């Protein structure tokens, strides 16, 4: 039996999916390699926490800027520029160990950022332009399905990236090569993938941006602000938690259980593998439960599993709960992206995607430093427990604010 391409999966969506795949490979191994690379250079938990705090500030500013510019000047152009930026910043990690330069490169190139295991590169500066283009080319009826499928593409590619993260350990064992040298090879690969990301979206078609008189500003629709204000409050509660997780999670495994890059690369590979069927199920679960209820159910499960994982006495048990949590967390991701694109005005989609994450990113800049300080004081698992509490509050707020705001595909058609 020959598999047929779905009707909704046109050439432009295929190009966007290819770009996501390339980015997911890069972001997946960088999420493992960057914290370990800094540790191998001799930086302690506090310095590493500061690194990711400053990097998060740069990523936050870049994400918001991309959102504004993409709706005004074109979303494809921003994806091309970001691909080139990633390539240039990857070279910075190859040729210098200067802490200040690495900080700048991390923020501008989203090096080591873009979502945790199972996210498939769905977050970061690329997201505002990419999400709006996916929604444009998929339409309301297939929007959640398209976000589910691109998430599957992302996690499959991220699984490959996680395997690449094991190469420094393998090269060290086979040839005696220093971990730092092997890790630099992966930063060079980041440059190649960044250029490929820029090239793959060049043939993409895009609806023209609305023509405005010179000097006029782009004003968000009232319905968009109605959604964004609620998301600001919800994501603010989630922001500090996100900062305590992310790259700090890798370092936590390394310090708590003495996990190597090989073990962590394998774990993140498995996390991406188990996320594949979960992402495929997202659209079906959203249709059955309703999008908001499905999101809240998945996030509540994720919070519970995170709290349990932090208490595990060994790496194997912690890894099992990490994988279970990844599945629950993964299920909500494409639904949340699709929901936002559905309930804001079409011309505001990139801006809304960029602004909606600002509270998360702003408060997440504090998280790595706080987590690093707590770990330095010997409270290794306290950051994870605090993150679970904060994400529980965020989930409750999400349900309170959005249970009565339905996306177009769930609204009753007019008589």
């Amino acid at each position: 039996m020959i598999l047929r391409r779905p009707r909704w999966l046109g050439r432009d969506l295929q190009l966007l999916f290819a770009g996501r795949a390339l980015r997911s490979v890069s972001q997946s191994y960088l999420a493992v390699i960057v914290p370990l690379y800094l540790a191998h250079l001799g930086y302690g938990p506090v310095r590493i926490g500061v690194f990711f705090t400053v990097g998060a500030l740069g990523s936050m500013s870049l994400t918001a800027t991309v959102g504004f510019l993409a709706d005004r000047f074109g979303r494809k152009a921003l994806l091309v520029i970001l691909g080139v930026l990633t390539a240039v910043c990857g070279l910075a990690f190859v040729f210098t160990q200067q802490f200040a330069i690495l900080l700048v490169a991390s923020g501008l190139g989203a090096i080591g950022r873009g979502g945790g295991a199972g996210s498939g590169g769905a977050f970061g500066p690329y997201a505002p332009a990419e999400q709006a283009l996916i929604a444009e080319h998929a339409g309301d009826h297939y929007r959640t399905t398209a976000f589910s499928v691109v998430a599957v593409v992302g996690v499959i590619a991220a699984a490959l990236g996680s395997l690449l993260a094991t190469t420094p350990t393998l090269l060290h064992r086979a040839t005696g090569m220093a971990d730092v040298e092997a890790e630099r090879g992966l930063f060079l690969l980041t440059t190649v993938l960044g250029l490929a990301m820029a090239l793959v979206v060049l043939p993409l078609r895009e609806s023209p941006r609305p023509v405005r008189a010179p000097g006029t500003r782009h004003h968000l629709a009232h319905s968009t602000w109605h959604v964004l204000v609620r998301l600001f409050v919800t994501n603010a509660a989630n922001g500090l938690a996100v900062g305590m997780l992310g790259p700090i999670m890798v370092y936590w495994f390394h310090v708590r259980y003495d996990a190597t890059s090989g073990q962590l690369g394998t774990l993140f590979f498995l996390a991406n593998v188990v996320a594949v069927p979960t992402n495929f199920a997202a659209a079906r679960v959203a249709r059955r439960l309703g999008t908001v209820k499905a999101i809240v159910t998945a996030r509540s499960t994720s919070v519970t599993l995170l709290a349990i994982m932090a208490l595990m006495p060994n790496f194997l048990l912690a890894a099992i709960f990490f994988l279970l949590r990844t599945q629950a967390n993964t299920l909500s991701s494409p639904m949340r992206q699709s929901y936002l694109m559905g309930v804001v005005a079409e011309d505001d989609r990139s801006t809304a995607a960029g602004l909606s994450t600002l509270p998360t990113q702003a408060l997440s800049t504090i998280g790595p430093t706080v987590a690093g300080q707590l770990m330095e004081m010997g409270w290794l698992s306290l950051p994870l427990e605090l993150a679970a509490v904060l994400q529980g509050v965020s989930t409750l707020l999400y349900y309170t604010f959005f249970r009565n705001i339905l996306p177009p595909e769930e609204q009753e058609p007019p008589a």
Side-chain angles (χ1 to χ4, degrees):
M1 179 178 178
I2 300 176
L3 295 177
R4 294 183 178 179
R5 177 173 58 84
R7 289 180 301 169
W8 56 267
L9 185 56
R11 186 200 68 145
D12 296 299
L13 281 176
Q14 292 178 54
L15 292 173
L16 289 167
F17 289 5
R20 168 69 73 84
L22 292 168
R23 185 166 78 258
S24 297
V25 169
S26 172
Q27 290 182 339
S28 181
Y29 65 70
L30 287 174
V32 176
I33 290 300
V34 171
L36 298 179
Y37 179 69
L38 295 174
H40 292 150
L41 292 180
Y43 299 118
V46 173
R47 200 80 183 271
I48 292 174
V50 170
F51 178 91
F52 285 108
T53 293
V54 176
L57 282 170
S59 180
M60 174 188 69
S61 302
L62 189 59
T63 300
T65 302
V66 168
F68 280 115
L69 295 179
D71 278 339
R72 188 171 181 84
F73 299 108
R75 293 148 182 171
K76 180 179 82 171
L78 269 297
L79 289 179
V80 173
I81 292 170
L82 287 171
V84 174
L85 265 179
T86 297
V88 172
C89 294
L91 285 178
F93 275 78
V94 174
F95 291 112
T96 183
Q97 297 181 18
Q98 293 294 320
F99 191 73
I101 297 176
L102 297 181
L103 276 178
V104 174
S106 175
L108 289 179
I111 303 294
R113 304 190 63 82
S119 67
F123 305 100
Y126 289 83
E130 182 191 67
Q131 289 177 18
L133 286 168
I134 291 174
E136 174 187 331
H137 289 291
D140 284 336
H141 187 70
Y142 293 107
R143 190 182 62 254
T144 303
T145 301
F147 276 101
S148 298
V149 173
V150 74
V152 170
V153 171
V155 296
I156 291 175
L160 173 60
S162 297
L163 286 181
L164 288 174
T166 68
T167 55
T169 298
L170 296 176
L171 287 172
H172 178 72
R173 291 174 179 173
T175 67
M177 179 185 292
D179 288 327
V180 170
E181 295 300 321
E183 287 158 359
R184 287 198 186 106
L186 291 177
F187 291 125
L188 184 59
L189 177 60
T190 302
T191 295
V192 175
L193 292 175
L195 293 175
M197 282 183 260
L199 292 173
V200 78
V201 296
L202 282 178
L204 186 71
R205 292 169 295 188
E206 178 184 5
S207 299
R209 296 295 89 213
V211 178
R212 298 182 178 88
T216 58
R217 299 175 61 186
H218 174 64
H219 294 285
L220 296 178
H222 175 74
S223 59
T224 301
W225 277 118
H226 182 72
V227 171
L228 282 178
V229 170
R230 287 159 172 75
L231 280 176
F232 289 161
V233 178
T234 303
N235 290 340
N238 189 46
L240 186 58
V242 170
M244 290 185 178
L245 302 173
I248 294 296
M249 180 83 79
V250 173
Y251 189 72
W252 177 77
F253 274 114
H254 178 62
V255 174
R256 176 80 186 271
Y257 306 111
D258 198 27
T260 66
S261 62
Q263 289 175 308
L264 292 170
T266 302
L267 176 60
F268 277 61
F269 166 75
L270 292 174
N272 286 299
V273 169
V274 300
V276 172
T278 306
N279 276 308
F280 268 127
R284 183 178 301 176
V285 173
R287 285 193 297 267
R288 178 167 298 181
L289 297 180
T291 304
V292 172
K293 186 176 179 180
I295 291 170
V296 170
T297 301
R299 288 181 66 82
S300 299
T301 304
S302 171
V303 166
T304 303
L305 292 170
L306 174 62
I308 296 173
M309 184 192 78
L311 303 176
M312 291 299 100
N314 56 59
F315 178 75
L316 177 60
L317 289 174
I320 291 172
F321 278 95
F322 176 79
L323 294 176
L324 293 173
R325 175 185 177 268
T326 297
Q327 284 193 292
N329 219 30
T330 297
L331 183 63
S332 69
S333 181
M335 293 188 288
R336 283 184 286 132
Q337 295 167 43
S338 176
Y339 178 77
L340 176 61
M341 295 296 98
V343 296
V344 300
E346 185 175 343
D347 287 342
D348 298 337
R349 281 171 170 168
S350 289
T351 305
L355 289 178
S356 66
T357 61
L358 275 183
T360 298
Q361 296 188 67
L363 289 173
S364 72
T365 61
I366 305 171
T369 301
V370 173
Q373 292 284 359
L374 292 174
M375 294 172 75
E376 184 88 358
M377 296 166 64
W379 295 331
L380 293 180
S381 296
L382 184 57
L384 276 67
E385 296 289 359
L386 290 176
V389 172
L390 290 167
Q391 290 193 326
V393 172
S394 173
T395 301
L396 180 60
L397 288 171
Y398 194 95
Y399 177 73
T400 301
F401 289 149
F402 296 109
R403 67 183 188 277
N404 294 323
I405 302 178
L406 302 179
E409 63 272 18
E410 294 179 18
Q411 297 175 11
E412 291 291 335

